[in-house]
Amino acid sequence: MLLVNSTALPEVFQKVIKAKRMIASGEVKTASEASRVCGISRSAYYKYKDSVFEYSDSVGKTVSLQASLRDKAGVLSSFVQQLYSINANLLTVHQGLPVNGIASFSVSFRVSPEGFSAVKMLNDLAALDGVVSVKQIHEN
């Protein structure tokens, strides 16, 4: 990975970023439409879309977890507090209704890759009172 001022790169990279932004915002519906509007070929878009990111897109590691939590006051709060202790920036949170005293819970968050240990995080979360199980389902 390199951090390069965009003015030093071919214009196609900036156009790919613009096309990705337009698709993400819903301004256009397809890569073909975004490519046409931005003045690049569809093949150029597909060639670079997974390699060119805005700086804010590439900062941090995104992690998703799935857990089973006891239906007991404070369990969810302590789980989230443990994530905050590693400076996690929560992106999505979903808790299902409890069934037989256990609620399913999923969370996605961004965390700095420096000093981050998925094994330690999972062990710390699993050790919390009321956490039945926790597993990592995604990391990039």
Side-chain angles (χ1 to χ4, degrees), residues 15-135:
K15 290 181 177 185
V16 168
I17 293 293
K18 182 179 178 184
K20 289 172 60 172
R21 203 178 305 126
M22 291 175 78
I23 293 168
S25 71
E27 190 175 336
V28 296
K29 296 201 184 307
T30 65
S32 295
E33 186 179 0
S35 298
R36 184 173 26 78
V37 169
C38 293
I40 57 175
S41 67
R42 219 170 40 116
S43 63
Y45 172 79
Y46 282 112
K47 180 177 182 179
Y48 297 119
K49 76 174 183 74
D50 294 326
S51 300
V52 179
F53 303 93
E54 287 189 273
Y55 179 70
S56 63
D57 289 345
S58 62
V59 175
K61 178 181 294 228
T62 303
V63 179
S64 296
L65 303 177
Q66 185 173 10
S68 295
L69 307 177
R70 295 209 185 281
D71 182 22
K72 189 169 95 176
V75 174
L76 178 59
S77 177
S78 64
F79 193 97
V80 170
Q81 185 60 42
Q82 185 66 37
L83 293 177
Y84 285 139
S85 75
I86 62 168
N87 295 316
N89 177 24
L90 300 186
L91 303 172
T92 65
V93 175
H94 181 272
Q95 182 178 9
L97 290 173
V99 175
N100 297 325
I102 305 292
S104 63
F105 176 71
S106 62
V107 61
S108 295
F109 56 91
R110 189 171 293 129
V111 67
S112 173
E114 289 83 38
F116 174 73
S117 167
V119 172
K120 179 177 179 350
M121 174 201 60
L122 289 170
N123 288 337
D124 290 347
L125 289 168
L128 294 172
D129 183 41
V131 175
V132 176
S133 67
V134 61
K135 67 180 177 178

